[in-house]
Amino acid sequence: MKISIDGDLCQGHSVCMAECPEVFQVTEPQDGYPVVTVLVSEPAEALREKVTMAAKYCPNNVIIIED
Ligand code: SF4
């Protein structure tokens, strides 16, 4: 499983981090809007359900999962 994001669409809702903090981290720069970072681009299979939930509930459909 490989994770990528469309950073242009991310609005920093942090739903992804709430669902799967092992993979997604949302940080708020001092001079900008919060934005997601993928901590692990190829996470272990054990995290598939959490990653899938993060992608499902991301309001902007930012998260892309490839097999
Ligand atoms: S990836 Fe989706 S849920 Fe995560 S911070 Fe960006 S818009 Fe919000």
Side-chain angles (χ1 to χ4, degrees):
M1 160 175 64
K2 190 171 180 192
I3 310 301
S4 56
I5 55 167
D6 186 342
D8 290 343
L9 298 177
C10 178
Q11 293 187 324
H13 302 290
S14 295
V15 176
C16 53
M17 189 164 64
E19 294 290 340
C20 189
E22 297 90 339
V23 173
F24 303 103
Q25 183 178 59
V26 180
T27 53
E28 190 165 353
Q30 280 186 327
D31 57 349
Y33 296 103
V35 67
V36 69
T37 300
V38 177
L39 300 175
V40 187
S41 61
E42 296 187 25
E45 199 53 35
L47 290 171
R48 179 178 287 274
E49 188 174 345
K50 293 176 83 172
V51 170
T52 301
M53 289 298 108
K56 180 177 178 181
Y57 292 119
C58 170
N60 292 34
N61 290 324
V62 171
I63 300 164
I64 301 153
I65 305 171
E66 295 171 283
D67 285 310

